[in-house]
Amino acid sequence: MRCSQVRRGVLIALAFGPFLSPSPAYSQTSDRIWGRVATTSGDVLEGFIRWDRNEASWADQLDGTKENLEFEFQDWWVLANPDDRGRDRVIEYGGYRNTWDDNEPELPSSTESGIRFGHIQRLTAVDRQEAKLELRSGQVVTLTSGATDLGTDLRELLVTDSNGQVHELEWEDLDSVEFFRAPAGSEPGGQRLHGTVEMQEGPSFTGYIAWDLDEILTTDTLNGEDSNGVRRRVLFGRITSIRPINDGAEIALADGNRMELFDDDDVDRGNDGIYVSDPALGMVVLDWDDVEIVRFHSPDPGSISGPLDGGRRLRGTVVTADTTELSGWIRWDGDEEYSWELLDGRTPSAVVDVEFGQIAVIEKFLAEVVSVNLGPAGVSVSHPVTEGAKVTLRDGRVFEMDGSNDVDESNHGIFILPEDSGWLPDHEEAEWIWVRWEDFHSVTFDWGEEG
């Protein structure tokens, strides 16, 4: 679709129901994505941006696939695949002796990745699947399509200009997008949904909410059929809470009324998931069956951060299984080395992408899981041991995670470039030390006074 064919509309204030209302002094403007979009046909559009339907705040996450750099693969290959394949590889540093077998899992050529919109200064569409990201730190990153956020699978990009006009674009329309703060006096047509999700088991999660992968603003609607068989469309701005019940949901409204809705994937097990963008954590994906209740409320004004810093290199101290400490630059799992990157895993109740910049400590743990099996011979009980990581955030929250090569025995290792090595992390000749997952105990990240 060329820009001359871009569909335009006007956001109309819907006055027939109270909206989720922050206090008069509060505004989400500083945390809403604003940008200048240059199109392939030469037009320039500027305004609030809603990306792929479910991202509209700086804390929201742009998903993609990252190609591992050649030097990252070479660093891993030299250590994991020595020329003498008949012997174990050995390296010594500061009295620490590290050995491993040649038969190690190969470092993949690409990995799933993601970054908060707030770290991005400029996005340029390279081709039908690829984008170049210039971060606020000056770093340049290339991501390719891995979901619907990038490439021709992008569902839509909406730009609401200062006159309230909505411009709808597709990936083919994009040349580049420059991101910056909204001008003073700009107000979005709808507020970004925000609230707390209480789980049936485990911790609660608070942040910006994407409902069923689609609804993110108070002007969006929750769909369902009421107990009389009448189809209803309820503005999210009227809703104070949603509680899953049996095959539907109980909806509490700001005017004190309640209703039950059924027969729609907004309000039953067909729901694609409840996404929570937590500025102090990352992104959490929650399953309908695990949710107790979702309570909508305005964010703490102190949590509004605006655009982020673009990230910086990971640095800290790794402790090995034999208590040796190694301090310096860190590359996690062979490919993550910046604070904007994500530690992926699962908790008992959620799929979690933790931004490295929010992590204080990662510790490996072993857990025994009791499994009861019913078979022809009767009941048998097994006690398999699983590996994972206990992740302590900088705000003090602790999560036990597994189910990903970031946090289990399929991890490709933790690389450390000692701070007294004299090498810079980007130098091709830098001599990294490789600690296998089985030799790893913990890492404490050093964020300094600026972090």
Side-chain angles (χ1 to χ4, degrees):
M1 180 178 65
R2 299 300 84 194
C3 191
S4 60
Q5 297 174 305
V6 170
R7 296 183 294 277
R8 292 177 171 83
V10 179
L11 283 178
I12 301 174
L14 301 174
F16 49 87
F19 285 93
L20 178 70
S21 299
S23 64
Y26 171 78
S27 171
Q28 284 190 3
T29 301
S30 62
D31 207 37
R32 289 289 299 278
I33 300 172
W34 180 280
R36 182 180 297 118
V37 180
T39 71
T40 53
S41 61
D43 288 346
V44 176
L45 305 171
E46 185 171 325
F48 289 105
I49 290 177
R50 178 171 181 165
W51 193 283
D52 191 44
R53 299 183 187 171
N54 59 1
E55 289 105 8
S57 70
W58 298 120
D60 288 332
Q61 184 172 301
L62 178 78
D63 296 315
T65 299
K66 182 184 71 170
E67 295 293 323
N68 290 335
L69 301 177
E70 182 178 355
F71 74 82
E72 293 175 341
F73 177 83
Q74 289 174 343
D75 288 341
W76 172 83
W77 180 263
V78 168
L79 292 173
N81 298 272
D83 292 335
D84 184 0
R85 306 181 71 84
R87 300 175 57 189
D88 287 345
R89 175 70 171 169
V90 179
I91 193 168
E92 294 188 8
Y93 177 78
Y96 169 63
R97 182 181 177 85
N98 186 26
T99 67
W100 62 92
D101 296 328
D102 294 338
N103 186 22
E104 292 291 337
E106 290 195 9
L107 189 70
S109 60
S110 63
T111 54
E112 293 183 2
S113 186
I115 183 171
R116 296 181 195 261
F117 276 89
H119 290 298
I120 306 171
Q121 180 74 43
R122 183 183 182 90
L123 180 150
T124 301
V126 177
D127 57 29
R128 289 173 58 84
Q129 300 298 325
E130 186 174 284
K132 181 179 73 173
L133 311 182
E134 299 171 46
L135 308 189
R136 299 186 188 281
S137 62
Q139 182 187 4
V140 177
V141 178
T142 298
L143 292 183
T144 58
S145 175
T148 61
D149 280 347
L150 296 172
T152 54
D153 288 335
L154 178 75
R155 292 178 293 181
E156 63 186 7
L157 187 153
L158 302 180
V159 182
T160 304
D161 65 24
S162 57
N163 296 319
Q165 269 197 320
V166 181
H167 308 264
E168 182 178 338
L169 305 172
E170 297 178 356
W171 182 259
E172 291 89 340
D173 299 317
L174 301 183
D175 179 54
S176 65
V177 185
E178 184 179 0
F179 299 96
F180 48 94
R181 286 183 181 273
S186 302
E187 288 295 336
Q191 298 290 328
R192 181 73 173 83
L193 293 179
H194 184 278
T196 297
V197 183
E198 299 177 15
M199 308 301 293
Q200 294 179 14
E201 298 181 4
S204 300
F205 297 96
T206 297
Y208 295 100
I209 292 174
W211 189 269
D212 191 31
L213 198 60
D214 280 327
E215 291 86 15
I216 62 170
L217 300 178
T218 53
T219 48
D220 293 337
T221 59
L222 182 78
N223 302 317
E225 188 174 292
D226 67 19
S227 56
N228 296 317
V230 178
R231 297 297 297 177
R232 303 290 297 272
R233 291 169 54 87
V234 184
L235 283 169
F236 270 92
R238 299 179 57 204
I239 299 172
T240 58
S241 71
I242 302 174
R243 182 190 299 274
I245 54 167
N246 300 322
D247 296 324
E250 180 186 68
I251 316 300
L253 303 179
D255 61 8
N257 290 320
R258 293 179 181 270
M259 67 174 69
E260 293 182 0
L261 295 180
F262 309 89
D263 197 28
D264 191 282
D265 56 17
D266 273 352
V267 291
D268 62 23
R269 288 187 173 89
N271 189 293
D272 287 327
I274 299 164
Y275 287 50
V276 182
S277 295
D278 178 347
L281 187 157
M283 188 177 74
V284 182
V285 183
L286 307 171
D287 187 80
W288 177 266
D289 289 330
D290 297 324
V291 171
E292 177 66 28
I293 190 171
V294 181
R295 303 183 190 278
F296 295 99
H297 57 82
S298 297
D300 179 352
S303 70
I304 301 301
S305 58
L308 305 176
D309 63 6
R312 51 179 165 147
R313 285 192 176 273
L314 300 180
R315 188 184 183 95
T317 299
V318 173
V319 179
T320 68
D322 68 356
T323 71
T324 301
E325 294 187 1
L326 303 166
S327 297
W329 306 109
I330 293 172
R331 185 186 301 155
W332 187 268
D333 191 32
D335 69 303
E336 288 116 351
E337 54 186 329
Y338 289 93
S339 60
W340 59 263
E341 298 194 82
L342 305 172
L343 183 82
D344 305 320
R346 293 176 176 270
T347 71
S349 61
V351 176
V352 184
D353 289 339
V354 184
E355 188 178 60
F356 271 96
Q358 306 303 325
I359 300 174
V361 179
I362 302 174
E363 302 170 81
K364 185 175 72 175
F365 73 81
L366 301 177
E368 184 178 75
V369 178
V370 178
S371 178
V372 179
N373 304 300
L374 298 177
V379 178
S380 63
V381 180
S382 59
H383 300 266
V385 175
T386 64
E387 294 190 15
K390 183 171 77 171
V391 180
T392 302
L393 302 186
R394 295 169 67 183
D395 65 8
R397 285 179 290 173
V398 177
F399 298 93
E400 291 190 349
M401 298 170 58
D402 59 18
S404 162
N405 57 279
D406 273 348
V407 291
D408 65 20
E409 63 272 14
S410 58
N411 186 294
H412 295 91
I414 295 88
F415 291 73
I416 307 100
L417 181 62
E419 52 193 12
D420 59 357
S421 69
W423 297 102
L424 294 175
D426 281 335
H427 199 288
E428 293 183 358
E429 301 298 323
E431 297 179 355
W432 293 77
I433 294 175
W434 182 45
V435 176
R436 291 189 306 172
W437 179 258
E438 64 189 70
D439 298 321
F440 169 75
H441 176 268
S442 64
V443 59
T444 301
F445 292 102
D446 177 14
W447 297 114
E449 295 182 359
E450 298 179 4

